[in-house]
């Protein structure tokens, strides 16, 4: 991975963005790309475990993962982890808070709390922010987003939140997102909720 130089590529109809905004390295997407090339050189069960859970086989030295990525890509992975993975978990955590409050107030029939959660996190609604993102990125058809574009939106939101928040709020939101990730990982041990996660300071 450390010697890979292509930031984006299109394979068939699929667009792969390995370095979101030139900063956030999606290592699992690149791993999928390399595994597809390697084919049967990698045992099927190890391929599936890595791609579906983000976890390495037991024989792999996870401590050496940083060296495998190299300094630049490891730094990019930290950007991806906090800017995409944790950001998505933060949104879920706040949506759950809003849902819990609404239920306690007797509102048991609303099932979409996205807009209010976005107002709490980003001070603006999702619809407005999403339109700004599409305009800035030059995506004319906002109704059909690829997985790569959804990740780009998450990272864009992360940078927006950092820009509008003070340090205490940023740290608090990060802890909330990390706690939500851990809760998901505990509830679904085989999910990609955390997979390979950097050491916490």
């Amino acid at each position: 991975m450390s010697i890979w130089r292509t930031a984006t590529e299109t394979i068939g109809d699929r667009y792969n963005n390995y370095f979101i905004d030139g900063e956030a390295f999606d290592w699992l997407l690149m791993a999928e790309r390399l595994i597809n090339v390697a084919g049967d050189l990698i045992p099927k069960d190890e391929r599936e475990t890595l791609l579906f859970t983000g976890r390495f086989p037991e024989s792999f030295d996870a401590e050496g993962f940083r060296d495998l990525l190299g300094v630049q890509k490891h730094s990019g992975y930290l950007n991806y982890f906090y800017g995409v993975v944790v950001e998505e978990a933060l949104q879920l955590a706040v949506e759950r808070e809003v849902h819990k409050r609404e239920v306690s107030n007797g509102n048991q029939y609303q099932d979409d709390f996205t807009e209010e959660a976005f107002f709490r996190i980003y001070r603006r609604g999702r619809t407005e922010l999403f339109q700004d993102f599409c305009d800035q990125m030059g995506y004319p058809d906002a109704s059909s987003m690829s997985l790569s574009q959804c990740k780009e939106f998450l990272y864009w939101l992360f940078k927006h939140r950092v820009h509008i928040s003070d340090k205490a709020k940023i740290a608090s939101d990060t802890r909330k997102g990390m706690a939500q990730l851990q809760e998901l990982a505990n509830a679904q041990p085989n999910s990609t909720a955390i997979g390979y996660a950097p050491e916490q300071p």
Side-chain angles (χ1 to χ4, degrees), residues 2-82:
S2 63
I3 63 174
W4 184 276
R5 293 291 178 263
T6 303
T8 65
E9 64 177 344
T10 300
I11 303 174
D13 295 330
R14 181 177 179 181
Y15 171 71
N16 289 343
N17 186 353
Y18 305 112
F19 255 97
I20 299 171
D21 203 24
E23 300 173 350
F25 176 50
D26 188 347
W27 79 271
L28 199 55
L29 179 62
M30 182 173 289
E32 179 185 356
R33 170 73 165 85
L34 297 176
I35 285 172
N36 287 338
V37 172
D40 293 337
L41 293 175
I42 302 174
K44 181 180 178 181
D45 59 335
E46 293 186 3
R47 294 200 307 266
E48 292 180 348
T49 296
L50 180 61
L51 296 180
F52 292 131
T53 72
R55 291 177 170 82
F56 298 113
E58 293 182 2
S59 59
F60 183 80
D61 178 16
E63 296 298 323
F65 185 66
R66 180 172 184 166
D67 295 332
L68 179 65
L69 289 182
V71 175
Q72 182 182 12
K73 285 190 174 68
H74 187 265
S75 176
Y77 171 65
L78 294 179
N79 289 337
Y80 179 87
F81 182 77
Y82 289 105

Side-chain angles (χ1 to χ4, degrees), residues 66-195:
R66 180 172 184 166
D67 295 332
L68 179 65
L69 289 182
V71 175
Q72 182 182 12
K73 285 190 174 68
H74 187 265
S75 176
Y77 171 65
L78 294 179
N79 289 337
Y80 179 87
F81 182 77
Y82 289 105
V84 177
V85 179
V86 176
E87 196 70 14
E88 186 174 28
L90 171 63
Q91 292 176 8
L92 176 59
V94 176
E95 283 188 36
R96 287 182 169 181
E97 289 176 352
V98 175
H99 177 255
K100 183 177 180 180
R101 186 201 66 190
E102 291 297 318
V103 169
S104 68
N105 289 337
N107 182 3
Q108 302 182 31
Y109 303 103
Q110 182 180 348
D111 58 3
D112 186 355
F113 303 96
T114 303
E115 286 294 317
E116 184 169 351
F118 267 61
F119 270 107
R120 285 192 175 195
I121 301 170
Y122 308 108
R123 304 179 190 171
R124 295 164 65 194
R126 183 189 186 281
T127 302
E128 181 183 0
L129 286 166
F130 185 63
Q131 188 59 59
D132 283 356
F133 164 75
C134 290
D135 291 344
Q136 182 177 321
M137 300 298 292
Y139 295 144
D141 185 5
S143 63
S144 58
M145 297 288 286
S146 68
L147 179 58
S148 286
Q149 290 169 333
C150 289
K151 292 177 181 179
E152 289 174 14
F153 182 43
L154 280 166
Y155 193 65
W156 185 89
L157 287 169
F158 163 73
K159 295 177 75 171
H160 172 73
R161 178 171 61 81
V162 169
H163 178 70
I164 65 172
S165 303
D166 58 35
K167 291 183 179 179
K169 181 66 163 59
I170 294 170
S172 174
D173 283 345
T174 299
R175 289 193 296 269
K176 183 177 294 185
M178 288 297 300
Q180 182 63 65
L181 270 182
Q182 191 59 59
E183 181 181 333
L184 291 172
N186 292 340
Q188 304 175 33
N190 294 324
S191 75
T192 56
I194 292 185

